[in-house]
Amino acid sequence: MSKEITSREADYSQWYNDLVLKSGLADYTPVRGCMVIKPYGFALWENMRDTLDRMFKETGHVNAYFPLLIPKSFLSKEAAHVEGFAKECAVVTHYRLMNDPNGGGVIVDPEAKLEEELIIRPTSETIIWHTYKDWIQSHRDLPLLINQWANVMRWEMRTRLFLRTSEFLWQEGHTAHATRQEAVEETERMLDIYAQFAEEFMAVPVIRGIKTASERFAGAEETYCIEAMMQDGKALQAGTSHFLGQNFAKAFDVKFANKENQMEYVWATSWGVSTRLVGALVMAHSDDEGLILPPRIAPFQVVIVPIYKGEEQKKLIDEKVNAIMKELKSYGIRVKYDDKDNARPGWKFAEYELKGVPVRMAIGARDLEQNVVELARRDTREKSTVSLDGISDHIRQLLEDVQQAMFDKAQKFRDEHITEVNSKEEFIRLLDEKGGFLSAHWDGSTETEDAIKEATKATIRCIPLNNKQEEGKCVWTGKPSSQRVLFARAY
RNA sequence: CGGGAGGUAGUUCAGCCCGGUAGAAUACCUGGUUUGGGACCAGGGGGUCGCAGGUUCGAAUCCUGUCCUCCCGACCA
């Protein structure tokens, strides 16, 4: 069949590409690094987006929208920020096309050159802080808790569907606070929300931590992150939350009058997750048969496949299925009845396994006689025959079991792939043999971090929050260290 | 952005070396038989061979350029 998927063992990268393309999540386009997110992939993203959006609103945030295009001059206002993004910005230089006088289609009209070039946003700190200057005068205007759902563009050299695309969808929260402490609290609060979302909805366990200076967001004082572990033992940053200090307030001159009527610069945070989460989800759970989606964000939680001979049987099954569907929907369960006649049951089974639907229900004439259905769960591929009495409660419980089992399995894998190492030799050996996170002492210097990266391609993923303090010696240089940090090769 | 590989029907691919009427499987359409793990029979439609130049009487095939994809590297979240 054309829907063969490369096995993980044969070629992990190709397995991932096959999965994304053949399960209908996304497709390539004529533009390098840009993808079409297909309806099934978008439905998945919508469920993630809607859940996060609700969590943001529950914590007092509101949505707004800032423009796609940013005046070039804005980018140069915060030194570290420019440095971080300058190399990957797309620039708008003209505003008009014209017919080529020499024939051959349209060309850029040389007369239509912009006086000030515009940047397609790689992130929106600059345009937002420019705007905040006008919105903030007094401590009474704070905190300002705004989020936006948007697309951004970063001119990536090497792209991969969902994991690293030039254009991607994300949310970026940008908040302003009266005190350092409040801003730090906000940064940590949003990191917790990301972690909670990843674990409770995506069933992906994550480690909360702080980035080292070299991995920090350009313009941040501190970058917090959640790090996840993929099935090939590579780490993936799933979300970041930045404490921006007063860097942007100073760059864009955003001050407020405090209660003593003294002018102070405001304190800032920004935080984001992107469509990269879809890639994380795929790589964390799926198998060689296809996607495995966690029930809480799967576009369909249950698919029902009828098995019948002749119209009479079909009619009886339809009646029963309609009653089941009505009840399932009243429980808030997303259910699809696939009764199209151009594919046989076996084909449908394979198709919905490829698409990762958590629970499949097969129902035939034989089942009707016995008042049962066959349920198959995608994560373990176990089948069971279940009475139709109380079927909705049974399915509701099954979906919760699947959600929990997926998390437990991923967590077990992750925990088994955190290894304490104490010597350079062990570090190098385990990185190749086992992969995963290596928990090792580090002397705290960027030079050592760079040297390790140069030699092994592993980077410091994070310094875990609430990290145990213990005396030790740097795994690379032998210099004194007060705590272990997590190293890994990463996406 | 450097090195390598690839792009031919919706999809997977053959044809290219050695230029001469564009093929297979599968998918799709019609009709029929089927339906508990990717059904079968009969008939049918579908491709400016990624794009642009060049060589030639003639280019999917040879040459040049360019775009997209994959792998490796550099860069990057």
Side-chain angles (χ1 to χ4, degrees):
Chain A
M1 282 291 299
S2 63
K3 291 208 169 171
E4 286 286 321
I5 294 170
T6 306
S7 72
R8 282 168 292 187
E9 199 183 345
D11 185 341
Y12 192 83
S13 293
Q14 195 55 49
W15 165 78
Y16 174 80
N17 291 334
D18 283 354
L19 229 55
V20 170
L21 295 169
K22 292 180 177 174
S23 65
L25 294 180
D27 222 335
Y28 296 114
T29 65
V31 184
R32 203 181 73 82
C34 295
M35 63 177 171
V36 177
I37 303 177
K38 296 174 78 175
Y40 194 62
F42 204 77
L44 185 55
W45 172 243
E46 280 178 313
N47 286 342
M48 298 167 93
R49 185 193 66 189
D50 292 349
T51 304
L52 283 164
D53 197 63
R54 179 172 52 70
M55 294 170 93
F56 297 156
K57 284 170 180 163
E58 280 169 1
T59 45
H61 302 85
V62 292
N63 285 330
Y65 186 79
F66 295 84
L68 172 72
L69 299 175
I70 298 174
K72 192 177 70 177
S73 59
F74 282 27
L75 259 291
S76 54
K77 294 201 176 181
E78 210 287 328
H81 193 65
V82 198
E83 179 122 3
F85 287 105
K87 282 177 288 187
E88 48 189 35
C89 286
V91 185
V92 178
T93 57
H94 292 75
Y95 58 85
R96 195 165 60 211
L97 298 173
M98 60 184 287
N99 285 315
D100 185 350
N102 304 316
V106 291
I107 57 170
V108 173
D109 185 344
E111 301 292 307
K113 197 164 162 49
L114 288 171
E115 220 161 277
E116 180 173 8
E117 290 163 343
L118 298 167
I119 310 300
I120 299 177
R121 62 184 164 212
T123 178
S124 303
E125 272 78 6
T126 58
I127 188 85
I128 286 178
W129 281 89
H130 171 85
T131 310
Y132 281 3
K133 178 179 165 59
D134 291 339
W135 291 1
I136 299 168
Q137 272 103 44
S138 143
H139 70 274
R140 295 177 198 280
D141 297 322
L142 299 173
L144 189 57
L145 304 174
I146 291 180
N147 176 64
Q148 84 164 342
W149 290 94
N151 57 341
V152 289
M153 173 157 275
R154 298 177 185 176
W155 210 264
E156 298 289 349
M157 290 294 107
R158 197 168 169 183
T159 58
R160 297 200 66 190
L161 294 166
F162 289 112
L163 296 175
R164 176 168 282 110
T165 46
S166 288
E167 182 191 13
F168 56 90
L169 306 184
W170 78 344
Q171 57 71 213
E172 44 181 327
H174 296 274
T175 68
H177 306 265
T179 66
R180 164 184 276 269
Q181 190 195 338
E182 222 183 81
V184 170
E185 282 169 7
E186 167 76 2
T187 312
E188 292 176 350
R189 178 182 308 117
M190 300 323 288
L191 188 78
D192 283 343
I193 283 180
Y194 288 156
Q196 188 190 346
F197 173 74
E199 299 192 335
E200 292 182 11
F201 290 85
M202 293 172 61
V204 174
V206 293
I207 290 171
R208 296 166 221 215
I210 294 175
K211 287 293 187 190
T212 61
S214 63
E215 298 275 329
R216 196 176 288 153
F217 174 73
E221 265 189 39
E222 201 77 271
T223 287
Y224 294 66
C225 63
I226 52 171
E227 291 284 329
M229 174 61 48
M230 302 295 102
Q231 290 181 64
D232 62 347
K234 286 171 81 173
L236 186 138
Q237 176 179 297
T240 49
S241 184
H242 314 289
F243 170 59
L244 300 174
Q246 294 174 313
N247 293 345
F248 285 92
K250 286 175 180 167
F252 288 88
D253 193 34
V254 185
K255 294 182 206 166
F256 71 101
N258 64 20
K259 287 175 186 168
E260 286 77 43
N261 201 30
Q262 293 161 327
M263 298 306 282
E264 286 186 55
Y265 286 113
V266 304
W267 299 85
T269 81
S270 70
W271 26 274
V273 295
S274 71
T275 37
R276 180 178 234 209
L277 287 179
V278 176
L281 190 69
V282 171
M283 286 209 297
H285 297 304
S286 305
D287 65 18
D288 292 349
E289 313 302 321
L291 300 177
I292 301 179
L293 300 178
R296 289 194 184 168
I297 51 174
F300 299 112
Q301 297 169 307
V302 179
V303 61
I304 303 177
V305 176
I307 300 165
Y308 57 92
K309 298 177 189 174
E311 280 305 308
E312 264 180 52
Q313 284 190 0
K314 173 68 168 42
K315 208 175 154 193
L316 289 174
I317 291 169
D318 282 348
E319 275 175 28
K320 181 54 82 177
V321 168
N322 286 336
I324 295 169
M325 296 235 296
K326 193 175 170 192
E327 193 171 273
L328 286 175
K329 283 179 180 171
S330 76
Y331 278 37
I333 292 170
R334 297 185 289 279
V335 55
K336 172 180 174 154
Y337 181 36
D338 185 353
D339 68 338
K340 59 177 188 289
D341 194 36
N342 57 353
R344 301 177 69 200
W347 190 92
K348 292 177 185 174
F349 292 174
E351 182 68 10
Y352 290 108
E353 279 168 13
L354 175 61
K355 286 183 169 300
V357 178
V359 171
R360 177 184 76 231
M361 178 191 295
I363 178 164
R366 216 162 69 195
D367 301 313
L368 285 185
E369 282 171 21
Q370 297 167 39
N371 197 43
V372 295
V373 290
E374 181 190 81
L375 295 182
R377 54 189 280 181
R378 178 64 184 87
D379 62 329
T380 60
R381 307 189 77 207
E382 287 168 338
K383 292 181 190 176
S384 57
T385 302
V386 177
S387 167
L388 272 169
D389 298 330
I391 188 68
S392 297
D393 286 308
H394 185 92
I395 286 174
R396 181 160 62 179
Q397 185 59 48
L398 182 59
L399 288 169
E400 283 177 28
D401 290 349
V402 171
Q403 181 82 30
Q404 187 63 43
M406 287 180 66
F407 178 78
D408 291 346
K409 186 182 177 191
Q411 187 171 47
K412 182 163 179 284
F413 179 88
R414 197 274 310 275
D415 289 347
E416 285 169 357
H417 286 81
I418 302 177
T419 317
E420 286 199 356
V421 298
N422 297 304
S423 72
K424 190 190 274 194
E425 293 67 34
E426 198 183 5
F427 186 99
I428 293 167
R429 183 171 59 79
L430 283 174
L431 196 61
D432 282 332
E433 283 178 11
K434 187 178 174 188
F437 291 117
L438 298 182
S439 177
H441 278 284
W442 164 59
D443 64 23
S445 75
T446 300
E447 292 72 34
T448 301
E449 195 179 357
D450 289 346
I452 293 173
K453 185 179 179 184
E454 175 78 19
T456 68
K457 292 178 195 165
T459 50
I460 298 177
R461 301 320 303 154
C462 70
I463 303 160
L465 294 184
N466 308 315
N467 205 15
K468 186 172 75 174
Q469 299 297 302
E470 62 171 46
E471 292 305 312
K473 286 182 178 173
C474 175
V475 75
W476 207 257
T477 62
K479 291 179 185 169
S481 154
S482 62
Q483 61 180 342
R484 291 174 181 273
V485 299
L486 293 179
F487 289 87
R489 293 200 176 118
Y491 280 97

